[in-house]
Amino acid sequence: MSEVTLNGAGVSGAEATSRAGVLRRLRTTDIVFHGLTRGAAIVVLLLLSGVIISLIHGSIPALGAFGLGFLVTEVWNPVTEQFGALAPIYGTLVTSFIAMAIALPVGIMVAFFLTELCPQVLRRPIGIAIELLAGIPSIIYGIWGLFVFAPFLQRYVQPALIDTFADVPVLNALFAGPPYGIGMLTAGLILAIMVLPFITSISRDVFDAVPPVLKEAAYGVGCTTWEVFGSVILPFTRVGVIGGFMLALGRALGETMAVTFVIGNAHKVSSSIFAPGTTISASIANEFTEAVGELYTSSLVALGLILFVITFIVLAIARYMLLRLEQRVG
Amino acid sequence: MNLAKIGLAAAALAFSSLAAHAADISGAGATFPYPVYAKWADAYKKETGIGLNYQSIGSGGGIKQIKAKTVTFGASDAPLPGKELDESGLAQFPMVMGGIVPVVNIDGVKPGDLVLDGPTLAKIFLGDIKSWDDPAIAKLNPNVKLPKQAIAIVHRSDGSGTTYNFTYYLAEASPDWKTKVGTNTAVQWPAGIGAKGNEGVANNVAQTKGSIGYVEYAYAKQNKLTYTNMVNKAGKTVSPTMDAFQAAAASADWKSQPGYGVILANQPGDKSWPMTAATWILLYKKPTDPAATAEALKFFAWSYAKGGKMAEELDYVPMPSNVVMDIEKMWSSDIKDASGKPLYSMK
């Protein structure tokens, strides 16, 4: 393009036509490219609204039959066709909460260690190991959780926790019941391992982006490593860290196979995190293939709609928090 | 230019593979018989060149697909009621059978040591019997030393034909089960944990002391699980064996239900295993593509005639020959093309 304009001075008629032709071609390319990108963006919107419409359409029979009570009913009885989403919603939120409560601090600490404190030799191996963790298919986590991790929890961790907290109020209800090995805690722990790489790798990238001059200045005026981490790096990178947290939470809320293997799949709301429970995606994966009858299938679709809404709310809260933070800073 | 060429080649390939598949039989449904259907299909293809494209998406999916006419036949572990068959114009017949066995994990109890009956099994799964030294279990097992140990229940978490047949038997054996829980591919379990698939149930039972679960016979046998014996309807104690399943099938009154929809639970007969299960095929009596249905019937007839041994190798139970005769008679009288010509003729 630049060539065409540079050679523009004092040209003959033939050259002028060829130049106009080139320009026209370039313009067409741009228009086509513009159209293509816009088309791609519109396709995304169409797909999303298609998904929403079909979810709503599919869940109308169930929501019509049970109304808003669907959200707060614990019963899930395919025989009498009584369905309620309370147990799966509860299980989804509890397992995701356990996962994030563990993965967020650990992930940020790993990222900080990797960017600031780790000897150069170890940096690459640890970084690669964490990225590999993200590459393991979720079914592998499920099988490993069922065959290795759950028996380990059942034999060593759960009995110890039950004994330790037997006399402490509240906590004894939280850690109660027979140690099955599988249950909501196990699912939460597996999820924590699965989402750790998301938090770590994003945090590491944003920590790396902190201008060295800020850190050096902080160390220069006598800050400890802890103070640099808490007062310089975290405030500077919080938008990125929250972004990683949300990505991880999105994965935890929707994770299916690994959870199905280790959560125990009982449509019950239990106070104990050792008790079997279920999540929205696990219920759908378990029951959709053999669900016969309109109300049953429709209830499962309605579960999908609820998961969609939960994810949407989480994203909306994240956006809102980011906005608030930016306003306060700016 | 190159890209266009590659695209053309890909399109050509896609079309040629479509053409090659056109002659294949298409079906969808139950996962339980998938291994034996796959084995039959493989042998049938070697003999005739015609393949089977079977998607094991589950019984519910199979029923939906045959009703949408996207496949030539559907397969289901739960039979359709006669009314539904008539309304949709579908023919139904059983293809192969299997057994369901309770498996336990109790210290010192070996396969076949423990004896249970239907009412006791139902009480265990209802959560009414909580410990292995319960008098109801002790009465059935005077010679077994039963520990004072809590019973941990393991059931299927995914909807399955195995659960359908198991809960059908419990409902037959226990009025309590019938009113409180009922029969379906998935039910509201009063107690216990749910595990995915036979392997999930087996593994959870293996890991948890004092546990009980139920799996398909093939799975219990191949993994050498601790199965229990059962007291059958005739009051006799039976072990889960191929003979006991066949006895249940032989004593069943197959014509009592439309579309041979007899659930083989709790069948009469001294040797009958009480939890035997059949799996069914669904196809249209007046199909829109008669040629495809005729091909499918040929495959089923071949499987009845030559597939018995292959089924037994996989621990499935072949259909008794008198039932097969009757089914083939039904084909030749009921399944016709648009002009009313039968699509199958008995040899």
Side-chain angles (χ1 to χ4, degrees):
Chain A
M1 195 122 137
S2 54
E3 231 172 275
V4 179
T5 37
L6 276 179
N7 298 340
V11 285
S12 67
E15 272 174 346
T17 8
S18 89
R19 195 176 62 184
V22 168
L23 279 173
R24 220 178 9 257
R25 209 169 57 234
L26 290 173
R27 228 163 73 88
T28 333
T29 324
D30 256 14
I31 290 169
V32 169
F33 183 65
H34 183 224
L36 274 178
T37 50
R38 189 170 56 184
I42 290 173
V43 164
V44 172
L45 278 182
L46 284 179
L47 280 176
L48 186 68
S49 40
V51 169
I52 296 175
I53 290 169
S54 52
L55 276 178
I56 292 174
H57 175 77
S59 45
I60 284 172
L63 295 178
F66 306 117
L68 281 179
F70 186 70
L71 293 175
V72 290
T73 314
E74 195 188 335
V75 184
W76 187 268
N77 191 337
V79 182
T80 58
E81 300 215 306
Q82 288 294 314
F83 300 103
L86 185 64
I89 293 176
Y90 175 78
T92 305
L93 296 180
V94 169
T95 49
S96 295
F97 178 80
I98 296 173
M100 299 320 292
I102 295 167
L104 185 65
V106 174
I108 289 179
M109 285 191 286
V110 171
F112 186 70
F113 178 75
L114 282 180
T115 48
E116 299 299 321
L117 309 170
C118 182
Q120 279 295 340
V121 224
L122 278 180
R123 204 169 278 194
R124 270 180 68 81
I126 296 181
I128 289 172
I130 285 168
E131 270 153 32
L132 279 179
L133 217 52
I136 298 175
S138 63
I139 186 86
I140 306 289
Y141 279 108
I143 291 173
W144 176 79
L146 179 62
F147 286 94
V148 183
F149 193 54
F152 169 77
L153 284 175
Q154 184 184 22
R155 243 164 262 157
Y156 305 106
V157 181
Q158 294 187 342
L161 282 172
I162 292 172
D163 290 344
T164 314
F165 295 114
D167 302 323
V168 188
V170 181
L171 285 183
N172 62 3
L174 206 56
F175 300 105
Y180 275 121
I182 62 182
M184 286 192 288
L185 175 68
T186 317
L189 291 174
I190 294 275
L191 281 179
I193 302 171
M194 293 178 73
V195 300
L196 187 65
F198 289 80
I199 297 179
T200 306
S201 56
I202 289 180
S203 305
R204 192 182 55 171
D205 289 348
V206 293
F207 290 171
D208 264 338
V210 176
V213 62
L214 283 181
K215 290 181 274 185
E216 281 157 18
Y219 283 123
V221 296
C223 284
T224 61
T225 320
W226 168 246
E227 283 166 335
V228 170
F229 172 67
S231 311
V232 178
I233 293 184
L234 260 194
F236 191 85
T237 57
R238 66 183 161 239
V239 173
V241 172
I242 291 177
F245 172 81
M246 285 302 154
L247 200 65
L249 183 57
R251 167 135 204 212
L253 285 169
E255 176 50 44
T256 312
M257 280 328 287
V259 172
T260 309
F261 270 79
V262 296
I263 196 166
N265 302 297
H267 280 276
K268 283 203 180 94
V269 175
S270 317
S271 63
S272 168
I273 56 172
F274 291 163
T278 188
T279 67
I280 292 175
S281 46
S283 296
I284 298 175
N286 267 321
E287 294 175 40
F288 208 82
T289 47
E290 297 284 340
V292 188
E294 196 189 27
L295 212 50
Y296 194 2
T297 356
S298 168
S299 298
L300 289 168
V301 176
L303 280 184
L305 180 66
I306 293 170
L307 183 59
F308 195 92
V309 172
I310 292 178
T311 318
F312 180 79
I313 293 173
V314 165
L315 278 177
I317 294 175
R319 288 271 158 208
Y320 179 72
M321 274 165 50
L322 284 181
L323 213 68
R324 285 276 302 272
L325 278 173
E326 274 159 18
Q327 273 170 355
R328 215 186 307 155
V329 173
Chain B
M1 260 324 246
N2 256 336
L3 263 179
K5 263 186 201 160
I6 292 167
L8 268 181
L13 264 177
F15 277 114
S16 67
S17 69
L18 267 182
H21 276 283
D24 283 359
I25 305 159
S26 71
T31 48
F32 157 68
Y34 173 66
V36 66
Y37 290 176
K39 190 160 185 175
W40 285 341
D42 193 43
Y44 188 67
K45 177 147 195 172
K46 274 183 198 138
E47 212 172 293
T48 63
I50 295 169
L52 169 71
N53 176 13
Y54 183 75
Q55 308 157 25
S56 60
I57 53 174
S59 304
I63 294 168
K64 275 175 209 143
Q65 295 241 351
I66 185 70
K67 284 193 173 163
K69 303 192 179 179
T70 52
V71 288
T72 306
F73 72 89
S76 172
D77 288 340
L80 289 186
K83 194 165 153 268
E84 204 176 333
L85 289 174
D86 291 343
E87 276 169 6
S88 46
L90 286 166
Q92 173 180 273
F93 52 90
M95 197 62 220
V96 70
M97 298 174 292
I100 297 163
V101 295
V103 289
V104 296
N105 176 357
I106 310 167
D107 279 334
V109 172
K110 290 191 289 299
D113 278 359
L114 198 71
V115 180
L116 294 172
D117 61 7
T120 313
L121 195 62
K123 273 188 192 146
I124 291 175
F125 275 86
L126 277 169
D128 291 346
I129 295 181
K130 292 184 178 353
S131 175
W132 283 111
D133 59 355
D134 191 277
I137 304 174
K139 204 176 130 200
L140 291 163
N141 299 280
N143 301 323
V144 181
K145 205 172 153 281
L146 290 161
K148 186 179 168 56
Q149 188 174 30
I151 301 177
I153 294 152
V154 184
H155 55 75
R156 287 282 288 268
S157 64
D158 45 336
S160 82
T162 313
T163 300
Y164 181 88
N165 283 286
F166 183 71
T167 52
Y168 187 94
Y169 170 63
L170 294 186
E172 282 282 299
S174 149
D176 244 18
W177 184 274
K178 201 169 193 166
T179 51
K180 283 186 188 157
V181 185
T183 302
N184 209 332
T185 50
V187 298
Q188 181 158 24
W189 295 94
I193 53 171
K196 194 163 164 52
N198 281 300
E199 64 285 353
V201 171
N203 185 62
N204 275 296
V205 168
Q207 270 169 28
T208 315
K209 290 269 177 253
S211 59
I212 183 167
Y214 59 92
V215 294
E216 281 155 23
Y217 169 68
Y219 203 84
K221 190 185 165 201
Q222 283 153 20
N223 293 285
K224 301 190 171 55
L225 302 176
T226 311
Y227 59 82
T228 71
N229 290 344
M230 291 294 299
V231 178
N232 65 15
K233 198 175 188 180
K236 299 277 193 296
T237 302
V238 284
S239 289
T241 59
M242 203 53 90
D243 292 341
F245 304 141
Q246 264 157 354
S251 359
D253 181 8
W254 286 96
K255 288 189 182 160
S256 65
Q257 295 290 330
Y260 306 88
V262 177
I263 308 285
L264 293 174
N266 220 16
Q267 290 298 323
D270 283 357
K271 288 181 183 161
S272 300
W273 178 253
M275 285 175 279
T276 308
T279 182
W280 284 267
I281 298 288
L282 295 161
L283 36 77
Y284 280 102
K285 286 179 177 172
K286 286 210 173 69
T288 43
D289 183 356
T293 301
E295 281 301 332
L297 288 175
K298 263 190 224 161
F299 168 70
F300 295 136
W302 179 92
S303 303
Y304 280 142
K306 299 192 180 170
K309 200 158 164 290
M310 282 177 257
E312 283 183 17
E313 278 165 13
L314 291 171
D315 297 305
Y316 288 87
V317 188
M319 296 304 296
S321 54
N322 59 329
V323 183
V324 170
M325 285 279 281
D326 202 70
I327 290 169
E328 295 189 349
K329 216 179 280 169
M330 183 274 286
W331 290 351
S332 50
S333 66
D334 284 8
I335 301 179
K336 295 169 181 161
D337 65 9
S339 65
K341 199 170 138 269
L343 291 174
Y344 181 81
S345 54
M346 285 184 81
K347 280 165 199 121

